[in-house]
Amino acid sequence: MNVIEHDNIGGIARKLPELRKLAGKTQPRLAAEANVSLSLLKKVEQGKVPASPAFISTVARALKVGIADLTQQPYPRTTRDEQQVHAGISDLRRELAAYRLDPDDDLPARPFAQLATDVAKASLLRHAVRLGDLGTLLPSLLADLRIAWTHTTGTDRERLFGLAAETYAAASQVAYKLGYIDLSSLAVDRYEWAAALSGDELLVLCGDYQRAGELLGTADWNTATRLLEHSRGRIEPSIGTADERTLSMWGNLHLKSALVAARTGNRDLADAHLTEATETAQRIGQDLNHFQLCFGPTNVAIWSVGLAVEMMDGTTAITRAADVRIPKTTPHERAGHHYIDLARGYLLHGDRPAAFGALQKAKTIGATQTRYHPMVHETIRVLAREEARSTESVRGFAAWCGIIQ
């Protein structure tokens, strides 16, 4: 058995006191400004409790720093394999910067069918959490789309912008999951731009869904709430006779609204939005993947667990998880995320062995997503710190995440 010392595994428990002192704030002052309990703040700094997404965003806002300043993302790359996973980021950054510019060379546009096939491939890689392969594909695909819409007009051009929006969504996800938070936000900007040119109102609303996620990251709960209310209002009059695509967007907007409510601690409102999403999924009756958001009974059940965790209610999360059945067809990204949330739920409930078991399950489903997820880092750090002597398996997992050497 090896003792894992606190100083060896750092994380937010180490970084938060540094940033707090640089800002000249005491623990009581920061707790008051961030609207978090002093007890929770102390426990996070002591490494006894993992920092939740809500805690991270609201404390970052109070400290006037970015989320990445607290989580220290992107994480260091120490192996050739890790470097390869990140290899496409620099090219992706260049393509996102050049998005409105005409191509330098008079290159022929690829046929729409070929581009659509590659966009579908990108979405499959996204859902399989094959981030290295996705990052390699995206820059050239976005460049090809840029060439194509330059040579196209009318409804064909709108269809290309629909493909571009889907590709920008994949770009946002690969950047976010690898820890490039600002680059992910830039890709959301590009999504909104392409969606507005697609002629598809539902794609525009999907942009609102993504923008609400950006607002959550800045702890701007009120603006996120207003945006989502406005977005739902645009399709609410037609919901009674809506098709599956519209219903999927309606349900997803309610799920995002539930997350905003959960982050603010409004359990009743979060549950009301979850109920609306559940009823919508039951009305559809199957798992669909419009807008690459995987809306349906399975994903709503996964969200129900995550929402309980967001409200720091591990017992409810575990209770809800007992009824979750994840089909083999569920994208790895969603299934893996479920077990990452469930690990946090078990930890809140006080069942550390089950928490570690859930992390191992998440790794089996989506290793790269698990390796780079900040909530995995926070969970495994607390598991390591809370044990007088860590087991070799816990230590090995922490080392695999890059937390200890």
Side-chain angles (χ1 to χ4, degrees):
M1 300 283 186
N2 293 307
V3 178
I4 297 182
E5 298 292 343
H6 178 284
D7 289 343
N8 287 341
I9 50 182
I12 292 175
R14 175 189 290 177
K15 195 64 180 178
L16 176 54
E18 292 178 4
L19 293 173
R20 176 174 58 75
K21 292 171 184 176
L22 283 172
K25 299 181 189 293
T26 63
Q27 287 180 328
R29 180 180 172 186
L30 178 57
E33 292 180 356
N35 196 28
V36 299
S37 75
L38 178 58
S39 174
L40 176 61
L41 178 62
K42 289 181 176 179
K43 288 178 180 178
V44 170
E45 289 198 1
Q46 293 165 358
K48 294 181 178 180
V49 173
S52 69
F55 178 94
I56 293 169
S57 58
T58 192
V59 168
R61 181 175 181 176
L63 290 172
K64 301 186 185 304
V65 300
I67 289 175
D69 293 312
L70 279 172
T71 60
Q72 302 173 77
Q73 293 173 283
Y75 300 126
R77 301 180 292 282
T78 58
T79 68
R80 180 174 297 179
D81 287 345
E82 289 175 1
Q83 183 60 37
Q84 289 177 346
V85 169
H86 291 254
I89 292 296
S90 60
D91 288 339
L92 180 60
R93 190 182 300 277
R94 281 192 290 271
E95 183 55 40
L96 290 174
Y99 75 110
R100 287 191 300 107
L101 303 179
D102 292 340
D104 291 336
D105 301 318
D106 189 19
L107 299 173
R110 293 174 59 198
F112 180 90
Q114 289 184 10
L115 292 169
T117 296
D118 279 356
V119 172
K121 178 182 178 182
S123 292
L124 286 174
L125 291 172
R126 166 189 170 181
H127 289 304
V129 210
R130 292 172 53 185
L131 302 181
D133 293 337
L134 179 57
T136 299
L137 171 64
L138 287 173
S140 60
L141 177 55
L142 285 169
D144 287 344
L145 286 165
R146 188 155 54 97
I147 293 169
W149 73 57
T150 300
H151 290 79
T152 311
T153 59
T155 57
D156 288 340
R157 193 167 189 261
E158 290 182 340
R159 292 167 65 210
L160 283 168
F161 278 116
L163 291 181
E166 184 174 337
T167 310
Y168 284 130
S172 174
Q173 284 298 300
V174 72
Y176 185 83
K177 285 180 168 58
L178 291 177
Y180 299 90
I181 308 300
D182 288 344
L183 187 62
S184 174
S185 182
L186 183 62
V188 172
D189 290 344
R190 303 297 181 257
Y191 180 98
E192 291 174 318
W193 171 78
L197 293 170
S198 72
D200 187 336
E201 182 184 18
L202 292 178
L203 287 184
V204 173
L205 296 184
C206 188
D208 292 348
Y209 173 96
Q210 296 179 60
R211 178 58 56 193
E214 294 293 307
L215 292 167
L216 279 170
T218 64
D220 194 346
W221 323 124
N222 291 334
T223 304
T225 297
R226 291 198 306 272
L227 172 61
L228 291 166
E229 287 175 350
H230 173 75
S231 301
R232 294 196 310 274
R234 292 173 65 173
I235 55 176
E236 185 171 10
S238 65
I239 286 301
T241 57
D243 60 14
E244 290 180 341
R245 195 166 179 267
T246 303
L247 288 173
S248 292
M249 181 48 59
W250 174 255
N252 276 308
L253 290 170
H254 274 288
L255 287 176
K256 188 71 80 173
S257 295
L259 180 57
V260 177
R263 292 274 175 97
T264 63
N266 191 334
R267 179 184 295 271
D268 289 343
L269 183 57
D271 286 345
H273 284 300
L274 177 60
T275 296
E276 184 66 35
T278 301
E279 292 174 352
T280 303
Q282 291 171 346
R283 180 176 166 186
I284 293 174
Q286 60 180 319
D287 295 325
L288 301 173
N289 195 24
H290 295 300
F291 320 103
Q292 304 303 317
L293 293 178
C294 309
F295 186 78
T298 300
N299 201 25
V300 171
I302 289 172
W303 270 77
S304 74
V305 175
L307 289 169
V309 174
E310 291 286 347
M311 291 182 284
M312 306 297 286
D313 187 347
T315 302
T316 296
I318 294 168
T319 300
R320 290 176 175 177
D323 295 326
V324 175
R325 300 292 180 267
I326 301 180
K328 292 182 179 180
T329 54
T330 301
H332 287 191
E333 189 275 338
R334 298 308 305 140
H337 202 287
H338 169 66
Y339 286 100
I340 290 171
D341 284 339
L342 188 56
R344 294 169 59 206
Y346 278 124
L347 186 59
L348 289 168
H349 189 65
D351 190 339
R352 290 181 172 79
F356 183 55
L359 289 182
Q360 290 175 307
K361 181 70 172 178
K363 179 182 177 182
T364 299
I365 294 170
T368 305
Q369 173 174 252
T370 305
R371 163 68 177 82
Y372 291 108
H373 201 295
M375 290 301 99
V376 172
H377 283 224
E378 285 300 291
T379 302
I380 196 65
R381 281 188 171 104
V382 171
L383 289 175
R385 287 187 178 107
E386 288 298 296
E387 299 296 333
R389 287 186 176 273
S390 174
T391 64
E392 289 297 331
S393 55
V394 170
R395 185 178 181 85
F397 196 100
W400 172 75
C401 285
I403 293 171
I404 59 174
Q405 300 297 321

